[in-house]
């Protein structure tokens, strides 16, 4: 089963029309090496690759 992942970063090679992320897997990390995040602002997608 494929999970729908939304992304609006159009210059990522995994971005498709409709803000769809088509990467096989997604890697999200906490900023500054943290393993916990209090909000979305404290996270970053490491799957991003520029087109």
């Amino acid at each position: 089963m494929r999970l729908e992942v939304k992304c609006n970063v159009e210059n990522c090679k995994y971005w498709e029309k409709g803000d769809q992320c088509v990467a096989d897997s997604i890697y999200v990390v906490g900023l500054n090496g943290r393993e916990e995040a209090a909000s979305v602002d404290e996270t970053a997608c490491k799957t991003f690759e520029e087109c």
Side-chain angles (χ1 to χ4, degrees):
M1 178 177 92
R2 180 143 174 100
L3 178 66
E4 180 180 60
V5 178
K6 296 292 214 176
C7 176
N8 70 349
V9 182
E10 294 181 10
N11 68 322
C12 180
K13 79 180 228 177
Y14 300 112
W15 180 89
E16 280 193 357
K17 189 175 181 179
D19 289 342
Q20 296 295 308
C21 177
V22 295
D24 290 333
S25 65
I26 308 296
Y27 182 41
V28 178
V29 298
L31 295 181
N32 300 319
R34 296 182 182 161
E35 292 183 3
E36 293 185 13
S39 71
V40 68
D41 294 331
E42 295 180 4
T43 65
C45 177
K46 290 291 189 178
T47 307
F48 171 82
E49 288 186 42
E50 191 170 0
C51 308

